[in-house]
Amino acid sequence: MPLRLILHLDLRGRSAAAQARRAARTHLVMAAEGDGGYLSPIALDTALLLISELVTNAVRHTSGGCLLEVRLASEGVDIEVTDTSDEEPEPRRPDRRGEGGWGWHLVNRLGTDVAIRHHAAGGKTIHVRVPREGFAAH
């Protein structure tokens, strides 16, 4: 069984999403090359989009930043974002003028296995998978 390396990033501040995208891109490309597997360009782009959305929301709507974990598995890209809030994301009506509301819809539309785990000590982890071939049409 090949080694499955996990990217761990502790993120804070306005540049958190950009840092997450850069590090995740490098990690996923190297992991795909290292395991001899295939990660489609659409799967990579979808994973980076969902990482950006989840990290942005965690930094914007909670205190204390977030922890990002990314792992390339045989089924796809597993993404987990842990933050300090117990509040679950609520779908909002998207604002076509750029005021947000798209993130949680994108996560649920483009990802699979979306789950929220609450922690006894407080906070939560949001998990989503992006299939190796690309997003799943729901």
Side-chain angles (χ1 to χ4, degrees), residues 3 7 19 31 33 39 41 48-50 53-54 56-57 69 75 84 90 98-99 108 119 122-123 132 138:
L3 179 63
L7 171 68
Q19 291 172 350
E33 289 173 358
L39 181 64
L48 296 175
L49 173 63
L50 298 187
E53 290 295 336
L54 290 170
T56 296
N57 286 341
E69 295 185 356
E75 302 83 19
T84 58
E90 297 265 338
E99 297 298 320
N108 284 282
H119 305 288
R132 277 191 183 237
H138 295 253

Side-chain angles (χ1 to χ4, degrees), residues 49-132:
L49 173 63
L50 298 187
I51 287 167
S52 185
E53 290 295 336
L54 290 170
V55 167
T56 296
N57 286 341
V59 170
R60 181 180 293 158
H61 298 294
T62 69
S63 62
C66 67
L67 173 67
L68 169 68
E69 295 185 356
V70 178
R71 179 174 65 95
L72 182 62
S74 58
E75 302 83 19
V77 179
D78 286 321
I79 302 164
E80 292 194 340
V81 175
T82 302
D83 64 43
T84 58
S85 173
D86 294 325
E87 298 295 318
E88 293 194 9
E90 297 265 338
R92 299 186 313 162
R93 181 179 199 148
D95 185 323
R96 297 184 191 277
R97 297 171 305 208
E99 297 298 320
W102 297 97
W104 193 236
H105 295 287
L106 288 171
V107 168
N108 284 282
R109 181 76 176 165
L110 301 179
T112 64
D113 302 327
V114 178
I116 301 171
R117 291 188 319 271
H118 291 274
H119 305 288
K124 68 182 172 305
T125 299
I126 297 175
H127 172 270
V128 64
R129 175 174 291 146
V130 175
R132 277 191 183 237

